């Protein structure tokens, strides 16, 4: 289990699969996301919708290695993958025409990690 001490089984499985896919597909982005998720909860990233709005263009694919929060507005459609979302963040992303995914769903859709930005 490579020294993981996470009690959340979903988080453990996500980190393991991200590391596996990073080496299998030679996609360092998934290794970087796994490292971010391995940090303690208090050091994990929390990103507001407003930050996603500032740093993306319509149609971008972003991954947040942590939680997406609902502060701010999103005025263009983006695909956002994260470990968790607040209810208001989901509503705002969907309302703008975007998609909300768990990191594992994005990993299945895009195993090479091409055209994916890490925001946080």
């Amino acid at each position: 289990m490579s020294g993981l001490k996470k009690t959340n089984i979903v988080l453990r499985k996500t980190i393991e699969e991200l590391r596996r896919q990073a080496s299998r597909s030679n996609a360092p982005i998934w290794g970087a996301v796994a490292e971010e998720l391995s940090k303690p909860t208090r050091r994990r990233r929390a990103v507001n919708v407003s930050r996603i709005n500032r740093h993306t263009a319509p149609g971008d694919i972003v991954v947040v290695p942590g939680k997406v929060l609902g502060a701010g507005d999103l005025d263009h459609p983006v695909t956002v993958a994260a470990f968790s979302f607040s209810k208001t963040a989901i509503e705002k992303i969907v309302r703008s025409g975007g998609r909300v995914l768990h990191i594992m769903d994005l990993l299945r859709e895009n195993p090479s990690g091409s055209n994916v930005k890490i925001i946080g």
Side-chain angles (χ1 to χ4, degrees):
M1 179 103 39
S2 69
L4 287 177
K5 294 180 180 158
K6 305 293 179 193
T7 56
N8 182 334
I9 190 71
V10 176
L11 179 58
R12 269 201 320 238
K13 297 278 187 203
T14 301
I15 293 169
E16 289 171 8
E17 187 57 35
L18 285 166
R19 287 181 176 156
R20 198 173 301 126
Q21 191 64 39
S23 64
R24 190 180 312 145
S25 297
N26 195 20
I29 188 167
W30 300 128
V33 172
E35 284 306 308
E36 287 293 323
L37 287 174
S38 297
K39 291 181 178 178
T41 306
R42 65 189 173 278
R43 292 194 50 220
R44 211 167 300 139
R45 297 181 191 194
V47 176
N48 284 309
V49 171
S50 61
R51 177 179 271 185
I52 294 171
N53 190 53
R54 275 194 312 273
H55 297 289
T56 59
D60 278 356
I61 303 170
V62 298
V63 63
V64 176
K67 186 168 188 164
V68 178
L69 303 174
D73 290 312
L74 187 60
D75 58 16
H76 55 272
V78 291
T79 299
V80 181
F83 184 70
S84 64
F85 294 87
S86 71
K87 184 178 174 185
T88 55
I90 292 171
E91 292 168 359
K92 289 179 180 185
I93 294 167
V94 171
R95 193 175 336 126
S96 74
R99 292 174 58 211
V100 174
L101 302 169
H102 186 272
I103 292 174
M104 292 300 293
D105 297 328
L106 181 61
L107 183 65
R108 286 184 204 101
E109 283 183 17
N110 188 351
S112 66
S114 59
N115 298 323
V116 176
K117 295 179 181 179
I118 298 177
I119 293 191

